[in-house]
Amino acid sequence: MITPAFDISQDSDFLTIIIKVPYARASEIDIYIEGDDFKFYAKPYFLRLALPGRIVEDGRQKATYNADDGIITVSVPKETPGQHFEGLDLLTSLLAPRGSKSAKPLVEEIGSSDNVVEEEEDEFDWQIEQTPFVEPTEEALQSQCTYGFGNLRSGVFRRLQEELNDVIDLRDPDVTPASERTRRRLAAEKAKFDPDHYLADLFEEEPVQHLLKYQPWWVAEIHAGCSLSAESQERRVSFSDKQKEQLRKFTNKSHLLDKKTQQQAYLGLIDLLLAYCYEVRVTEGDQNVESAWNIRKLSSTLSWFENFTCVKDILVSFGRRVLCYPLFRNFQLVEKAIADTVSLLKLGKAAVLKCLLEIHAIFQENDPAYILNDLYITDYCIWIQKVKSKKVASLSDCVQSLSISKSDLGFELGELEEAARLVQEEETQGQLASSTCLVRPLATVASESSDTDSSTSDTDDSSSETEDSTSEESTSEEEADPTDSELQKAIVPGQNSRVQSSLEKAGEEKNKLPAAGKAETTVTEQMKHLAEKMNSAVILSEAPVGPPGVQDKSPEKKAGECTAQSAQSTTGTPMTREFLEVTPRLNPLLIVPLSDEDDELAEH
């Protein structure tokens, strides 16, 4: 027989069951309704549901069949109008065969005072009773090497291929007892902790702050139903079609767990939810190829087959692993994941089941991690549908009442952060000191500059007093200098501006040379005086080539000659073309007179 795909919804008076049976014949459909039992048969499909409430066949029931889509819709009235049927979205639990729901042993001592059914306990003690350590024998060690959900598995990894051993951190799980697993885990975490990575995430807060602001899907569910009761909020959680299909595929079975094992199962559930919440936050709900690695690495239950004894140990273990393995290693993310887990538990077992289904889908798509579904996740998905909602609520209150600090993690984070802050302060002070050393010389130069300006202003007065005498001396030198007398003979009217600029350039070159007893202002005035007397064309060249008097007719020089000719036509004065050469000698002005023969030679 094939179990068909189905979905159930309800209103105040009716229960609606939608069953997908393609290619079924309407004439062969049989429906059976009695109490809380619903049965459907249409060859080759068979569906039996154990409902959480009672239904009745009173003539108001009806069924419709859509042959095109192969869907039959059955509407059944409730025996008690207005009653809410809890857990209709937990499809696997609805497929459970009718039988005992208690985990009590089938054989018990007659007259035992412990005759209270475990499922009816109002309060739940999450602290497992501890006994003094006794060195076990070799036979006892072999019997203790169990793992998986409820510690029901053993010898699995002996049959697996070697590459599947990389899924977990524990080596030889089939021969390693629980106490040795804890010791090895703590040693591996201590060796893996990287102070530099932790401090980098601590002081570079921008990426972490962005992740802390992210709101996962359960936060939206809580905000949308903040005014509703816990039961109403649980009903708001919805499953995708893919998740519903997976729930129908699960093989429904009962888990007979004793009290200690059941408590370990609850504590392992917290460990799984913590790892899941961290993964959803750091990926912002967008799963990637690293999602399976993150979840199994952060969960000690999955990576080390750890069996916890109290909630505080789970939180400490999770905090240590967050600071050792993933990309973002920040204690604020640890605290945020704990708060997210509390929010999930408050939404009820439907939200928890949704998380487990997402973990199951992640592992199913990851080649080596699928074995963890067989060991833990599938059984958790089936088991959580049958637990009491008050147990989940009690677990939420227990996690919320606890908190951990950095000192609980055992990595000496306080001392490490203090040392890092001291180093940071020293570097800051060193930078301030170096910047101060750069500022002081600048201030000294500025003060010296101001002093120099004041002294210069003082010397200006004295230099002005000697200006007359200096000008007289320069006049006498001018008369004695043969170069100046030759320059006066080569003056061409109309070229004062060009000559003045040329002489100013020559004066700059001359000022660079040492001239004892002559001030800069005196030389400039002298050149201006000579420029006013120029009457002939002056052509400058930086490096004369060829014999004296023979010059290359470059375009610039031709333009100069044209200018000189235009000036001649304007003034009407006959022009004798002579050249002034600026050479790199000590005297920057060199006047070379040209004869008529040289002029004709230059033209040719």
Side-chain angles (χ1 to χ4, degrees), residues 86 90 101-102 117-122 124 126 234 262 266 345 348-349 383-395:
E86 181 182 355
L90 309 179
K101 297 182 179 180
S102 175
V117 179
E118 190 275 333
E119 290 288 336
E120 301 299 328
E121 291 180 358
D122 293 333
F124 200 85
W126 299 103
E234 182 175 354
Q262 189 178 31
Y266 278 111
L345 293 172
K349 60 184 182 181
W383 171 75
I384 193 64
Q385 300 180 58
K386 302 177 183 179
V387 302
K388 294 294 183 180
S389 297
K390 61 182 179 182
K391 298 291 183 63
V392 179
S394 175
L395 193 61

Side-chain angles (χ1 to χ4, degrees), residues 77 97 168 218 227 276 282 305 349 378 404 469 498 522 540-541:
I168 61 175
W218 54 84
S227 60
Y276 169 80
V282 298
F305 295 161
K349 60 184 182 181
T378 300
I404 59 173
S469 60
R498 291 187 59 201
T522 305
L540 302 179
S541 71

